[in-house]
Amino acid sequence: MRKIYNIMNFKKFAENLRDTLFPKDITCDICGAEIFDGGHFCKNCAPTVILNDGSTCPVCGRKTARPEICMECKADAPKFRRGISVFVYSGGAAKLILKFKNGGSYLKDYLGALVADKAKTLPHCDCVTFVPVTKKRRRERGYNQGELLAEVISKKLGIPVVRPLIKKRDTPEQKALGKKERLDNLRACFEICDRQSVKGKTVLLADDVLTTGATADEVCRELLIAGAKEIYFATVASVEYSPFPQKTEN
Ligand SMILES: [Zn+2]
Ligand SMILES: [Zn+2]
């Protein structure tokens, strides 16, 4: 009996030692492989995560070939004043966001902190908000990833989260639609429920990804109707600007 006890004790000791030397929950945030040298990504995934720190469009903040206003912003300026994003939406970052949307809510702290850091390059915002989802969608997913981001950003920047809008109805899949079609799809799906929270305020809108900007534009339109002074847009990732856009999710 005593022998068994000792063996178990030793096992526990060995486990503790292992956990100290190699902290347990340190796995790659993208593929789940164990990593032993800290960081968030394994050796295979790390090179596929591209920081959006090269030349960008000074308006929407998407990666561009040259640091100049992209054709889309020139043709149809977004309703937010300026956008910033941490990653280019491709490869590892796209997988990371997919995981964050589908069950990986724990990623909010890491991603929210990154977005908050980059948002410090924007003018001061009075409050932070997010793209609302319908109650039904919220129930199905268990959370709204945009709301989680906004909550983390709120703590990091010391500004309140505001909830001026609700989403009244679910919109059909946006995946295969262009910006104009997406806007039609979104028309009148949001409703203002708290004007006071944004009236006269500079608002930071947080979201996981910027693709065509149609969703952000529709939310900004409502925020401006509600009386927001101006809006800045901060996302985890944004698609690279291309004169020949590919249709992506969101
Ligand atoms: Zn990995
Ligand atoms: Zn642009």
Side-chain angles (χ1 to χ4, degrees):
M1 194 64 193
R2 195 190 161 97
K3 204 173 178 184
I4 293 170
Y5 177 76
N6 277 341
I7 288 168
M8 284 181 62
N9 247 3
F10 177 75
K11 204 175 159 229
K12 186 93 195 112
F13 169 76
E15 275 171 10
N16 283 344
L17 182 68
R18 186 201 60 198
D19 290 351
T20 311
L21 293 176
F22 308 108
K24 233 182 190 172
D25 300 316
I26 303 298
T27 54
C28 172
D29 280 332
I30 295 171
C31 72
E34 265 189 281
I35 36 180
F36 301 108
D37 53 358
H40 284 266
F41 312 121
C42 73
K43 280 196 211 90
N44 294 330
C45 293
T48 70
V49 181
I50 300 159
L51 276 173
N52 187 25
D53 59 358
S55 65
T56 55
C57 166
V59 179
C60 65
R62 290 159 56 189
K63 182 181 189 308
T64 47
R66 280 179 295 277
E68 57 188 24
I69 299 178
C70 75
M71 292 304 285
E72 279 175 36
C73 287
K74 265 185 197 159
D76 184 13
K79 292 190 172 59
F80 52 85
R81 184 59 57 95
R82 221 175 101 198
I84 53 111
S85 53
V86 179
F87 299 115
V88 176
Y89 187 70
S90 66
K95 285 182 196 160
L96 195 63
I97 286 171
L98 195 68
K99 195 167 177 181
F100 180 41
K101 273 182 180 174
N102 300 305
S105 61
Y106 67 93
L107 289 168
K108 70 183 165 103
D109 293 317
Y110 170 57
L111 299 177
L114 288 175
V115 176
D117 255 354
K118 191 135 191 191
K120 286 176 187 162
T121 62
L122 294 170
H124 174 78
C125 294
D126 301 308
C127 53
V128 57
T129 194
F130 52 90
V131 177
V133 296
T134 58
K135 278 185 190 161
K136 181 171 169 275
R137 171 63 71 88
R138 164 91 205 228
R139 252 197 322 274
E140 285 164 1
R141 283 233 168 110
Y143 57 90
N144 172 356
Q145 72 274 7
E147 185 172 10
L148 297 184
L149 283 175
E151 283 166 354
V152 174
I153 292 166
S154 152
K155 281 195 201 110
K156 296 275 174 197
L157 299 184
I159 54 173
V161 181
V162 293
R163 294 170 170 80
L165 305 178
I166 52 163
K167 193 171 185 194
K168 289 185 295 185
R169 60 177 171 83
D170 269 319
T171 35
E173 279 284 309
Q174 302 260 76
K175 236 185 218 176
L177 306 177
K179 185 174 179 181
K180 163 97 181 45
E181 297 155 303
R182 286 184 186 208
L183 273 173
D184 291 342
N185 194 17
L186 287 161
R187 194 61 77 193
C189 75
F190 299 109
E191 191 175 81
I192 301 161
C193 64
D194 181 9
R195 278 172 201 276
Q196 282 310 315
S197 65
V198 290
K199 201 172 173 191
K201 304 265 170 72
T202 299
V203 181
L204 181 64
L205 174 63
D207 203 2
D208 51 357
V209 56
L210 164 65
T211 50
T212 63
T215 307
D217 247 26
E218 185 58 15
V219 169
C220 289
R221 199 176 69 86
E222 294 288 350
L223 291 174
L224 291 169
I225 292 171
K229 193 169 114 198
E230 56 187 12
I231 302 151
Y232 291 91
F233 187 39
T235 58
V236 175
S238 58
V239 291
E240 181 175 355
Y241 166 73
S242 155
F244 314 102
Q246 291 171 349
K247 287 171 178 174
T248 40
E249 198 177 351
N250 199 50

